[in-house]
Amino acid sequence: MLYTLFFNPDSANLVIRFALEELGLAYEDRLVAGRRTGRDAAFHQMNPTGLLPVLIDRGTGQPIAETAAILLYLTDRHGALGTGIEDPAGRGNYLRRLFHLSNTVHAHLRLGFYSDRVSDSPTTSESVTKWSAQETLAGVAIYEDLLADGRPWILGGAVSVCDYYLGACIRWAQLYAPNRPVLDRADLDRFPRVVAMLDRLQERPAALRAAAKEGLTGPLFLSPTAMKTPA
Ligand SMILES: N[C@@H](CCC(=O)N[C@@H](CS)C(=O)NCC(=O)O)C(=O)O
């Protein structure tokens, strides 16, 4: 067993699980219930933010937190799913996309999910959701433009963690927010190249294995079904 993945179904750990399944790595998973304030002291000691995901490398015993950091760790360590990481230009491009997904697309989306936490009234919460939608769509538009040269995946000819990270963000955007979904299928249909890419991604055996292990049924990325209230 190489890794231990701490998870809550359909939370940010889903992206890590896609990567672990694509890489064909041996790992175990451990369910972490509830929201960050309810997580136990041992979990907070591993990750003081209290957030999922956390991945332990069982070789070193080190816990790694932050979705993008874990993805980068896995692609560096296993030399796959980060197309081009072996040369400086390719690595630069990979890092650019990975960090955009993490600190722009995912970060804006989180504001939509947690709009009730950052707002003092339903009206403010609704405005936060709208702003989150606008910013998330601006992020998706960048990938629509990138795919215009005919490449099948974000980094070029091979699937990468970036495709899965975008797919997961688009999934969650259709499902989880207190007022209304951040995005709906009509929003997404403005991005036919991204939709076609996600259609292929959600059929990959690794994606289907990851979904089954998280207890998710139905389409993963396009018009998905909510399985629970996420953490
Ligand atoms: N910056 C973190 C964000 C992770 C995050 O938002 N985790 C959520 C699950 S999707 C969480 O643990 N939420 C619990 C809470 O906020 O109570 C990352 O990229 O890993």
Side-chain angles (χ1 to χ4, degrees):
M1 207 65 75
L2 284 176
Y3 296 107
T4 300
L5 175 65
F6 289 81
F7 83 107
N8 188 282
D10 213 7
S11 296
N13 41 262
L14 179 63
V15 191
I16 310 304
R17 199 187 286 276
F18 286 138
L20 292 167
E21 291 292 334
E22 277 286 348
L23 291 165
L25 299 171
Y27 69 99
E28 60 164 17
D29 59 24
R30 291 218 199 134
L31 182 66
V32 179
R35 296 197 150 189
R36 68 175 147 188
T37 43
R39 292 173 183 162
D40 65 22
F43 186 82
H44 281 268
Q45 194 171 2
M46 266 192 327
N47 184 14
T49 68
L51 298 173
L52 291 166
V54 171
L55 186 77
I56 294 186
D57 180 330
R58 292 171 61 128
T60 62
Q62 185 190 36
I64 313 157
E66 290 298 316
T67 305
I70 299 170
L71 294 174
L72 183 54
Y73 185 85
L74 289 173
T75 51
D76 271 346
R77 179 141 186 236
H78 299 285
L81 289 186
T83 314
I85 45 171
E86 58 290 334
D87 72 87
R91 187 173 176 85
N93 185 51
Y94 168 49
L95 293 181
R96 172 186 182 176
R97 304 305 172 195
L98 181 62
F99 281 78
H100 174 253
L101 287 162
S102 169
N103 70 19
T104 300
V105 178
H106 191 183
H108 286 135
L109 198 53
R110 284 183 90 244
L111 282 175
F113 298 152
Y114 300 135
S115 61
D116 52 349
R117 296 190 196 177
V118 295
S119 308
D120 51 14
S121 75
T123 315
T124 321
S125 174
E126 176 63 23
S127 307
V128 171
T129 309
K130 269 192 199 149
W131 185 79
S132 169
Q134 188 183 307
E135 293 296 317
T136 303
L137 285 170
V140 177
I142 287 175
Y143 296 99
E144 181 70 9
D145 289 347
L146 204 60
L147 296 171
D149 64 5
R151 67 180 72 191
W153 306 107
I154 288 174
L155 297 184
V159 74
S160 75
V161 293
C162 296
D163 305 302
Y164 278 113
Y165 205 165
L166 179 65
C169 286
I170 287 177
R171 170 185 171 83
W172 300 322
Q174 294 166 86
L175 296 178
Y176 304 122
N179 306 311
R180 60 175 176 82
V182 175
L183 303 183
D184 61 24
R185 185 57 200 262
D187 294 318
L188 280 181
D189 283 341
R190 290 163 43 201
F191 306 102
R193 291 184 282 263
V194 169
V195 167
M197 185 198 88
L198 295 180
D199 205 17
R200 278 181 283 114
L201 193 64
Q202 67 187 2
E203 295 305 325
R204 289 180 71 84
L208 297 171
R209 282 197 304 275
K213 288 181 183 175
E214 298 256 332
L216 310 180
T217 56
L220 265 171
F221 305 123
L222 302 169
S223 309
T225 313
M227 298 310 293
K228 58 164 208 117
T229 306

